[in-house]
Structure formats: structure tokens, C-alpha cells
Amino acid sequence: MNNLRFNVDKFIIKPVSKWPSECAYHVLDESKNQVFYAREKGFLQQTLVVFESEKSTQVIFTIQRKEFIVASTFLLTDFEGRLFGKLVRRMSLSSNCFEILAGQNEMTHVGECKSLWFGKTRIDFGGKPTGIIFYRQGLFNPTWILDLSSDISKRLDKRVVVAVALCLC
């Protein structure tokens, strides 16, 4: 993925009030410049589409939910519809966990994402801590902050991690 939008290490995700017809999110960089615009579509918000901007029709990637009970699967496809990742969400009373799978032809386990305590989620890649997702509850403006600055070697496909953060929203 050679998109300049993914050169930043910190993303801020803010919901846009479009309820009840659809949910939408602004994905910003640290300077609060818009990097992406994500919008859910479909019955029961089964698909989340990430665009370049709110007015753009250029799709960056798509997240499609496949199952709904305790374990959900999210398929990640690029702008041409090619599968590049899969998230498997497992929820319990004590935690919220994603298994992160990536690959072109065959999906392989590349990392995981686990909730540490309310409001903080750790992302591990190759068994090493790679990033943190913080949730800040605001009365009218909840915010999710995705910090990938500990991924010094830049091994992680940031589309996958942005997808995890959007799935947590």
C-alpha cells in the first residue's frame, strides 16, 4: 500500500452525526486534517466504506461484516474489491478481541487486538506491541485515538489497523 494518507502514525476518529439513516466517521491526523471519511451503508450497517473525503466517490477500502453473534468476521477489500485482510472479533464478558489476518491469496495470522481495560485497546503484531487505541468519552463528541508510533519498522498495513479502530467505534 503506497498511499500517502497512511504515512501518519496517529489517527483521530470522530463520529459525524448522521443518525438514524447512517453512521459516518471523520478520520483525522494529529493536526486535525481529514485523512479519510468512513460511512456505513446497508441494512443493520453491514458494510463500512472508507472514502478519500466526504464529497469523494473514490473508495480507499471497504469493511464488510459477515456474522453477527458472539464472533463476527469482517472482510477487508481494497478499492478494486480484492481481499487484503480479515478481522475475527471475539467478545466475552471480560474482553473484546480481534484476530488480525492478512494476505493476498491465503489469509495468515499477523496479529491481534485486545482490550486492556475500558477505553484502551492494545494492538500486537508478530507478538510485539505495535499500537494503542484510546477511547475518550465526550458528552457530545466521543473520540477514538489510534497511535501506531511504536511500529518503528512500519511493518503493519495501516489499513488493517484503521479498520480495527473503525470496527470498535
Side-chain angles (χ1 to χ4, degrees):
M1 180 73 200
N2 204 5
N3 192 323
L4 294 177
R5 296 173 185 276
F6 290 99
N7 285 345
V8 297
D9 287 329
K10 290 188 181 178
F11 297 92
I12 300 166
I13 301 172
K14 291 185 160 284
V16 178
S17 182
K18 297 241 178 188
W19 185 85
S21 62
E22 66 181 28
C23 294
Y25 305 93
H26 285 255
V27 181
L28 313 168
D29 63 14
E30 276 187 288
S31 303
K32 301 206 169 126
N33 298 314
Q34 185 170 325
V35 182
F36 305 110
Y37 173 75
R39 182 179 69 230
E40 291 180 337
K41 68 176 194 173
F43 181 66
L44 296 175
Q45 288 80 31
Q46 295 176 11
T47 303
L48 184 79
V49 183
V50 179
F51 297 95
E52 286 183 346
S53 69
E54 198 165 347
K55 295 178 180 161
S56 176
T57 58
Q58 178 62 45
V59 174
I60 304 292
F61 66 90
T62 303
I63 306 165
Q64 185 175 19
R65 182 187 300 210
K66 286 297 188 185
E67 299 158 14
F68 293 101
I69 313 298
V70 176
S72 295
T73 300
F74 300 87
L75 301 178
L76 311 177
T77 55
D78 65 12
F79 64 95
E80 293 180 333
R82 292 182 305 228
L83 187 68
F84 69 86
K86 186 190 271 187
L87 307 174
V88 180
R89 182 182 207 172
R90 293 181 179 86
M91 298 175 68
S92 69
L93 293 174
S94 61
S95 71
N96 189 3
C97 176
F98 283 94
E99 179 183 7
I100 302 169
L101 304 159
Q104 295 291 329
N105 298 326
E106 186 177 319
M107 292 285 138
T108 57
H109 175 86
V110 295
E112 57 190 28
C113 178
K114 289 184 181 175
S115 57
L116 300 177
W117 63 80
F118 183 75
K120 189 173 183 181
T121 303
R122 185 179 79 204
I123 301 162
D124 292 336
F125 181 75
K128 297 180 182 177
T130 307
I132 297 282
I133 301 171
F134 297 98
Y135 171 67
R136 297 220 171 114
Q137 176 66 45
L139 185 58
F140 297 108
N141 59 347
T143 303
W144 290 263
I145 300 168
L146 173 56
D147 183 354
L148 299 172
S149 55
S150 57
D151 184 22
I152 298 168
S153 58
K154 310 292 183 218
R155 300 173 297 149
L156 193 56
D157 184 342
K158 291 184 182 176
R159 296 177 298 178
V160 175
V161 184
V162 168
V164 169
L166 285 167
C167 289
L168 287 171
C169 291

